[in-house]
Amino acid sequence: MPTLVTQLLAATGGLILYVLAKNWIQSRTSGLARLPQAKSSAHWLWGHEKQAWEQPDSAFYVDNFDKCGTAFIMKGAFFHSDIIAISDPAALAHIHSRKAYSYTKGAYVRPLIERLMGRTLAWAEGDEHKRQRQALAPTFTHDSVRAMDSQVRGAFDKFAEAIREHIHNSKSVSTNERDKGSVYIDPMGFTSSATLDVIGSVGFGYDFQFGASAAAAKIKKSWAGLTTAGMTLAGGFIGPLVIRAFPFITDLPVEAIQAQGEIRTLIRGLGRKIVAERKAAEDGGEIRGNDLLSNLLRLQDTELRDVDLILDHISTFCLVGFETTAAVMNFALYNLAHDLPMQGRLRQELRDFVSSSNTGEPTYDEYMNKLPVLDAVVKETLRTHGSVSFADRVALEDDVIPLRFPVKHPKTGAEVRSIAVKKGQTIFISHMAVNRSRAVWGPDSEEFKAERWLAAIPGYDVASLNLTGVSPLPPPTSLCGGWNGLDTFLEGPRVCIGMKLALFELKVMLGTLIKAFEFLPVVGPDGKIQTMFSATLQPFVAGRLDEGVKVPLRVREVRE
């Protein structure tokens, strides 16, 4: 009689053989056999996915797009079927725009999003996504963001004051000629406090006290725990693979899984109190205000009847709004610290504007349209270090994905101009690799060079730029259809709804800080960072992931 162990081994072996056979048949009956494969060898269990996860700065995708073209096949882990990695602009437009609701988040991703944020815009698909987006859109128009001016400026004035206090209280001030008078700073705590203040104020009229409130401390601590776990092999790689293979795990009472809803629980509790206070203050009259909460409460009697959904929208706005923008701010300061000539050019532009303007500090419209150096710095930072650097999609139906730039058939060398995919096909999109493509952006694609944007401005003083080794902007036909040809904010129905606010925050932050402070690099290996994706793009000192996230810089007040 076979033992239980023997039966389990036989069943497991049979399941593995079934999955392998199914994957083999699918690879032969779809268009995948016509695509080149990733150039490195695949592990028998991890496929190519472990290489892709552990290589910093999306290097696996950047290198393979460079060698294979705009689409290639990578082997899935845990015997998952082959995965398509795509960077082709026509394919991205097809997936993001033309057939956006035919390519959805993986079945294992949505339960995690629901636990973290609820059934809100980040979770929704199809008609539900359209309805929610239409309801939320009025909060993020130019006029609405323009009305947030004082709250945004107030948050970054606090940021500047906090840095000034940090400098004055520091006991270790450099006496080296290179960075004399500077002190060490990791801006990550400052940026997240500032953006959380903005979100609290413009979202629902709450003061997080620049990170000093109990609610802010809890939110930041919980988020740090999530991102730290996502940077470990178990939490960031193996855990998601197990959940992908067995999605029902997300419903089990496992502490680590359930803890993902902690931030949502915290913000819901805070939100219930705010909703009650707001309704009591209105005393049955018409709800006024143009913040997110006011808009949602006005919709409660027509479309959004569920108060819990309103609270989840607040949670989503808080989570997505504060951390993604803060992450880009950290990279902007790091990039400028390592490009002091560009930092000086930006400081001069800001000072010249203030001294020549009748209004003093730039208005919302002037920040968005009248400061070309600032605009170039923001664009280049969002190109090299967009905070959401990766996404996966699953085809809901058989389809044909077009390619603007053909790839070569691995056996015949013939041009492949489209990809036939079967229902259930997984597609990986590395936004960072799209924005850093060497074939598109040139050999310096992975370097921060804001000059490339300035050189393309008609009438700009190009002679004042050092363009040695700077690749020009690519032609529009080489770029995706996103904001300024970047895949940072996506495109189509899923384009980032808070993009205008994020851009305004970035520009006000730089406009406030660069006039008052000089950010300097930490010299040597202690000052070089790499990145990996864990909820958002996370920085760490190169080769020292075990030390956790940080952006090592030095700062001093500007010498007049």
Side-chain angles (χ1 to χ4, degrees), residues 59 83 114 523:
I83 296 164
E114 182 179 1
V523 177

Side-chain angles (χ1 to χ4, degrees), residues 425-442:
Q425 175 65 51
T426 298
I427 297 168
F428 281 179
I429 301 170
S430 170
H431 307 302
M432 176 178 267
V434 173
N435 291 340
R436 292 184 172 204
S437 167
R438 295 177 192 133
V440 175
W441 293 92

Side-chain angles (χ1 to χ4, degrees), residues 354-399:
V354 171
S355 64
S356 63
S357 172
N358 294 327
T359 59
E361 295 296 324
T363 63
Y364 168 80
D365 293 287
E366 289 167 339
Y367 262 124
M368 303 304 279
N369 301 305
K370 297 292 185 181
L371 296 162
V373 180
L374 177 61
D375 195 55
V377 167
V378 167
K379 286 175 180 174
E380 186 69 350
T381 297
L382 287 166
R383 185 188 72 81
T384 57
H385 292 99
S387 58
V388 181
S389 61
F390 177 84
D392 67 344
R393 292 289 182 263
V394 176
L396 295 184
E397 59 190 14
D398 292 358
D399 193 21

Side-chain angles (χ1 to χ4, degrees), residues 132-449:
Q132 289 194 26
R133 190 173 180 95
Q134 184 177 12
L136 295 170
T139 305
F140 300 100
T141 64
H142 278 295
D143 287 342
S144 295
V145 177
R146 188 180 291 111
M148 302 173 187
D149 186 288
S150 61
Q151 294 101 315
V152 173
R153 291 177 195 270
F156 292 108
D157 285 343
K158 290 180 186 178
F159 191 169
E161 187 55 39
I163 292 181
R164 194 169 287 111
E165 184 177 341
H166 173 79
I167 293 172
H168 293 169
N169 291 341
S170 178
K171 296 179 180 179
S172 180
V173 181
S174 174
T175 57
N176 295 327
E177 188 58 34
R178 180 186 61 246
D179 53 15
K180 190 174 182 179
S182 70
V183 304
Y184 176 86
I185 188 172
D186 180 350
M188 294 186 70
F190 296 91
T191 54
S192 61
S193 293
T195 54
L196 193 55
D197 264 16
V198 172
I199 296 305
S201 179
V202 306
F204 36 93
Y206 186 81
D207 183 7
F208 283 108
Q209 301 171 21
F210 201 73
S213 72
K218 289 179 181 179
I219 290 169
K220 292 171 71 172
K221 180 180 179 181
S222 187
W223 183 261
L226 281 174
T227 55
T228 299
M231 297 173 75
T232 64
L233 182 65
F237 179 67
I238 296 176
L241 290 179
V242 172
I243 292 173
R244 183 176 71 186
F246 308 103
F248 65 86
I249 288 176
T250 59
D251 295 324
L252 297 179
V254 179
E255 183 178 357
I257 295 175
Q258 301 305 318
Q260 293 173 343
E262 182 180 4
I263 298 177
R264 181 186 174 202
T265 301
L266 289 170
I267 299 176
R268 266 192 168 204
L270 178 63
R272 286 189 184 281
K273 181 180 178 181
I274 296 171
V275 168
E277 291 174 350
R278 186 69 62 88
K279 286 190 170 183
E282 300 298 342
D283 193 24
E286 181 182 355
I287 295 173
R288 295 179 295 274
N290 196 38
D291 59 22
L292 178 63
L293 179 59
S294 297
N295 287 336
L296 294 181
L297 290 175
R298 279 193 291 268
L299 285 167
Q300 188 182 356
D301 293 330
T302 56
E303 298 180 53
L304 300 177
R305 299 181 182 277
D306 188 349
V307 174
D308 285 340
L309 181 57
I310 291 177
L311 296 176
D312 283 343
H313 279 303
I314 292 175
S315 299
T316 301
F317 187 53
C318 186
L319 274 173
V320 175
F322 100 90
E323 180 56 28
T324 53
T325 308
V328 178
M329 290 177 180
N330 296 323
F331 292 119
L333 294 175
Y334 175 85
N335 287 333
L336 288 173
H338 286 260
D339 189 349
L340 293 178
M342 184 54 64
Q343 185 181 158
R345 182 181 288 268
L346 173 57
R347 184 175 296 110
Q348 192 61 52
E349 176 183 78
L350 294 166
R351 288 183 163 186
D352 288 348
F353 184 90
V354 171
S355 64
S356 63
S357 172
N358 294 327
T359 59
E361 295 296 324
T363 63
Y364 168 80
D365 293 287
E366 289 167 339
Y367 262 124
M368 303 304 279
N369 301 305
K370 297 292 185 181
L371 296 162
V373 180
L374 177 61
D375 195 55
V377 167
V378 167
K379 286 175 180 174
E380 186 69 350
T381 297
L382 287 166
R383 185 188 72 81
T384 57
H385 292 99
S387 58
V388 181
S389 61
F390 177 84
D392 67 344
R393 292 289 182 263
V394 176
L396 295 184
E397 59 190 14
D398 292 358
D399 193 21
V400 177
I401 301 174
L403 296 176
R404 183 175 301 167
F405 300 104
V407 297
K408 293 198 177 294
H409 192 292
K411 293 183 178 179
T412 67
E415 287 191 344
V416 177
R417 296 181 175 274
S418 63
I419 309 169
V421 298
K422 294 291 187 180
K423 178 181 179 180
Q425 175 65 51
T426 298
I427 297 168
F428 281 179
I429 301 170
S430 170
H431 307 302
M432 176 178 267
V434 173
N435 291 340
R436 292 184 172 204
S437 167
R438 295 177 192 133
V440 175
W441 293 92
D444 58 344
S445 64
E446 295 170 83
E447 301 174 47
F448 174 87
K449 293 182 178 179

Side-chain angles (χ1 to χ4, degrees), residues 436-467:
R436 292 184 172 204
S437 167
R438 295 177 192 133
V440 175
W441 293 92
D444 58 344
S445 64
E446 295 170 83
E447 301 174 47
F448 174 87
K449 293 182 178 179
E451 291 88 349
R452 71 178 88 235
W453 299 92
L454 291 172
I457 299 174
Y460 191 82
D461 183 13
V462 177
S464 68
L465 299 172
N466 180 6
L467 296 177

